[in-house]
Amino acid sequence: MQATRVDVFDEIFLVFLGLGTLVGVVVIGYVLYNAYKYRDSGAHSDDEDVPTLGELPTGGKGGKKLFVSFGLSAIIVISLVIWTYGMLLYVEEGPSEPPEDAIEINVTGEGFAWYFEYENGAQSVSTMNVPANTPVWITATGGDVWHTFGIPDLRVKADAIPGEYDQTWFMADDPETTHEVRCFELCGNGHSLMTGSVNVMEQEEFDQWLAENAPEENGGGNESSGGNESSGGGSENGNETTDDNSTADGGEN
């Protein structure tokens, strides 16, 4: 199963939290140990390795401890930077460019509302419908002023600037859930009202919604109109029959 943006950021957070806690415990423990070891007991011998006021620490044993501590710190920091960079590249580029099963949605922020347009031409306002466990690629732009499209729960943020197009992706793994959409850029008097929602559906439910909301020229919409045409055709046939009967009656008369 592909990792979502939430999974990536949660993993980065937990790794930093774990390493930070470990380093903190080691540093504080070492400080407390030395504070206890070199406490003032009131009696000193000449051969004790006791630091004097103003003396620079040597790190013990010719600076070996200091060298080891700096070396370990450098290895940890460099490894952490490389690993984090790789994780952020995945967030930036997504599972691929884009994957075959991904869907693409154009997002436009305008007039303190969000407008969504799907690949088949289906459109919605303020509510983005997406299938669960499927990468969703969005292309954001602005229709009037500078907005920023954001879904806090899914760790999504994209600038919506008039004339520019910012692409990003996300994936929601829990169907039948709703996530809030916000504008992260102060865009005017209605900024606080510029909200929306992401409605996560099962794949079958999403496919049905997408087909029902497609423009008629793309084969979407309600097919009941076909029945009306049939009814209309029946009426025309009925009228023709009546006309034929009238003609026939006229001929007999």
Side-chain angles (χ1 to χ4, degrees):
M1 183 176 177
Q2 294 175 336
T4 66
R5 297 171 66 99
V6 177
D7 296 333
V8 173
F9 283 113
D10 284 352
E11 185 174 352
I12 292 175
F13 172 78
L14 291 176
V15 169
F16 273 83
L17 178 64
L19 285 177
T21 302
L22 178 62
V23 171
V25 169
V26 171
V27 171
I28 293 175
Y30 187 69
V31 169
L32 293 177
Y33 165 76
N34 281 281
Y36 176 80
K37 178 180 179 180
Y38 297 113
R39 70 190 185 279
D40 187 4
S41 59
H44 300 285
S45 61
D46 296 337
D47 58 348
E48 285 185 352
D49 183 18
V50 179
T52 59
L53 183 63
E55 179 185 1
L56 294 177
T58 62
K61 297 181 180 180
K64 185 178 296 184
K65 289 183 179 179
L66 192 63
F67 175 78
V68 171
S69 63
F70 270 109
L72 289 176
S73 299
I75 293 173
I76 293 174
V77 170
I78 293 174
S79 301
L80 192 60
V81 168
I82 294 174
W83 175 79
T84 304
Y85 181 73
M87 297 293 282
L88 293 179
L89 279 181
Y90 173 79
V91 171
E92 181 69 21
E93 298 177 358
S96 61
E97 283 290 338
E100 294 181 358
D101 62 339
I103 65 171
E104 299 183 22
I105 304 176
N106 293 326
V107 179
T108 302
E110 184 175 4
F112 310 117
W114 296 107
Y115 299 86
F116 307 108
E117 182 176 0
Y118 298 76
E119 294 176 89
N120 68 342
Q123 297 181 356
S124 62
V125 181
S126 297
T127 300
M128 174 190 287
N129 295 306
V130 299
N133 299 313
T134 300
V136 179
W137 283 86
I138 62 174
T139 302
T141 188
D144 46 9
V145 297
W146 191 330
H147 304 281
T148 298
F149 177 79
I151 312 173
D153 292 346
L154 301 178
R155 312 296 191 268
V156 178
K157 186 177 180 183
D159 291 332
I161 306 173
E164 297 186 13
Y165 300 90
D166 189 11
Q167 190 176 58
T168 188
W169 72 280
F170 69 91
M171 184 166 58
D173 54 5
D174 294 325
E176 307 303 328
T177 57
T178 302
H179 304 276
E180 185 181 14
V181 174
R182 298 180 184 176
C183 179
F184 289 161
E185 190 75 30
L186 184 59
C187 55
N189 293 333
H191 166 70
S192 59
L193 303 176
M194 193 170 180
T195 59
S197 61
V198 175
N199 184 29
V200 185
M201 303 176 169
E202 294 287 358
Q203 185 65 52
E204 296 78 9
E205 183 183 4
F206 173 77
D207 292 338
Q208 181 180 357
W209 176 88
L210 197 63
E212 291 176 351
N213 288 271
E216 293 184 2
E217 58 268 21
N218 290 347
N222 194 336
E223 297 180 359
S224 61
S225 57
N228 294 335
E229 292 176 0
S230 299
S231 300
S235 300
E236 292 175 4
N237 294 335
N239 292 337
E240 290 175 0
T241 304
T242 303
D243 293 341
D244 292 342
N245 291 336
S246 300
T247 305
D249 291 343
E252 291 178 359
N253 293 335

